[in-house]
Amino acid sequence: MTLRLGVPNKGRLNERTIELLTKAGIDLGEGPGRRLYVKAQNQDLEVMFVRAQDIPEFIAKGALDFGITGLDQLAESGYELTNLLNLEFGYCHLAVAVPEESPVRSIDDIPEGSRIATSFPNVTRRFFESKGKDVSVIVVSGAAEIMPYIGVSDYIVDLVSTGSTLKMNRLVEIGTLVDSQAAVLTLKAEGEKGVQMQGIVESIRSVIVAEDKKYIMANVPRDKLDVIGDIVPGLDGPTILDIAGNSAFVAVHAVVDSVKVYQVIADLKSIGAKGILTTQIERLVD
Ligand code: AMP
């Protein structure tokens, strides 16, 4: 049964999404380029390149079985979809921001009837309704940051990641509406398609998990075996192997967190380990 996957055709989420799919073994052929549709070479899967903001709707309407987009787009769409996997990139949040010189410093301070410019009108309306505030939402398709300065709005609701764009535009963040990152979304993961989708999701998950890990190998003095588990706990303890013709040393293999590699190498050296080497892990399935 052919699955249809929606992927952002451009913008911030596009490149990393393609990288993850490729690493997960989904062969998109000669690079998607400007194509709008790619049949995966090695699976029963069609990848559709569409706008990030259209993906939730296409899933909800059944045009796509699943798709990758930001949780902000899901919130804005208003559809109830299932999040199969957070992808740990495209982190940002939808925030209310006010001009630096404004006395407003919290959502409660926002006066009734204020004008809020945003390209996320649905989330913004729902948010202020839930706070019992009657505001007027002004829909813009971009550059919301400039709106208070040209008198189009009093405040804005916009996506923030580092906060540097707000700062550059002399705006201050006063509240968050949605925390977002890229995710794999579907309507329902049921039946044969559900099983196929879960398989793909598990491949992607194994890539994300592996990216934070390294595989380390070292020859360790046999008489230091009692401390090796403390230095490299591994997934379920390190693998210990005999070395042919060398009874004084054993080979130790283990998975370690990438951020700890430096310390682990120093600790291994301190107990007399030799031939220490580390390699990348392509996938890690628990
Ligand atoms: P695009 O407009 O196509 O570049 O994609 C925008 C999507 O990228 C958003 O819907 C978010 O999910 C994500 N994103 C991550 N960080 C940011 C940011 N600082 N500004 C805008 N979008 C961001």
Side-chain angles (χ1 to χ4, degrees):
M1 211 179 281
T2 304
L3 279 183
R4 284 188 165 182
L5 171 68
V7 161
N9 59 353
K10 55 184 178 177
R12 289 171 198 256
L13 304 181
N14 169 268
E15 216 172 282
R16 173 68 175 149
T17 301
I18 291 170
E19 180 188 36
L20 270 181
L21 293 177
T22 307
K23 284 184 166 182
I26 296 167
D27 185 354
L28 298 176
E30 279 293 289
R34 295 199 161 271
R35 277 185 286 170
L36 302 177
Y37 156 91
V38 171
K39 172 100 186 62
Q41 307 271 307
N42 49 353
Q43 324 201 4
D44 211 358
L45 178 74
E46 291 172 352
V47 178
M48 311 289 171
F49 294 90
V50 287
R51 292 194 319 167
Q53 68 204 81
D54 291 335
I55 289 177
E57 179 169 4
F58 291 171
I59 297 170
K61 300 256 167 86
L64 297 171
D65 296 300
F66 60 150
I68 294 175
T69 191
L71 293 176
D72 55 324
Q73 300 294 355
L74 175 61
E76 179 61 14
S77 76
Y79 290 110
E80 297 237 343
L81 301 182
T82 305
N83 181 350
L84 295 174
L85 181 66
N86 282 333
L87 294 175
E88 299 177 20
F89 76 97
Y91 283 107
C92 57
H93 58 281
L94 201 53
V96 184
V98 306
E100 270 172 14
E101 60 276 12
S102 165
V104 168
R105 280 296 175 267
S106 74
I107 304 293
D108 286 343
D109 294 344
I110 290 183
E112 292 282 318
S114 294
R115 298 162 307 157
I116 320 262
T118 185
S119 42
F120 289 80
N122 299 328
V123 181
T124 304
R125 280 193 196 105
R126 285 203 306 268
F127 177 77
F128 283 100
E129 265 167 38
S130 76
K131 301 275 172 201
K133 286 241 178 226
D134 191 11
V135 297
S136 142
V137 174
I138 293 162
V139 187
V140 294
S141 53
E145 301 91 350
I146 199 75
M147 300 307 159
Y149 292 100
I150 57 174
V152 171
S153 76
D154 304 302
Y155 314 109
I156 67 164
V157 165
D158 205 5
L159 285 175
V160 182
S161 47
T162 61
S164 59
T165 309
L166 286 187
K167 210 169 195 169
M168 220 155 54
N169 289 287
R170 301 183 29 243
L171 294 159
V172 181
E173 217 180 305
I174 60 159
T176 296
L177 289 70
V178 176
D179 280 308
S180 182
Q181 62 177 291
V184 185
L185 306 174
T186 188
L187 193 53
K188 286 189 253 82
E190 286 177 351
E192 196 185 319
K193 281 193 171 183
V195 173
Q196 275 175 273
M197 270 191 271
Q198 286 295 357
I200 291 171
V201 165
E202 287 315 315
S203 293
I204 299 172
R205 190 200 310 274
S206 72
V207 169
I208 296 172
V209 173
E211 281 179 341
D212 290 337
K213 307 277 185 192
K214 291 274 184 286
Y215 197 66
I216 193 158
M217 292 168 260
N219 294 341
V220 175
R222 192 180 284 277
D223 60 6
K224 292 291 183 340
L225 274 182
D226 52 334
V227 293
I228 197 67
D230 297 333
I231 298 175
V232 279
L235 292 177
D236 300 303
T239 304
I240 314 279
L241 304 161
D242 283 331
I243 302 171
N246 184 347
S247 58
F249 280 77
V250 288
V252 173
H253 293 196
V255 174
V256 295
D257 293 341
S258 301
V259 290
K260 294 190 185 145
V261 164
Y262 181 81
Q263 187 59 48
V264 168
I265 290 175
D267 291 347
L268 286 171
K269 279 171 99 173
S270 76
I271 60 163
K274 291 187 179 157
I276 302 168
L277 59 98
T278 65
T279 67
Q280 307 263 22
I281 301 171
E282 276 184 18
R283 298 208 211 165
L284 205 160
V285 182
D286 251 341

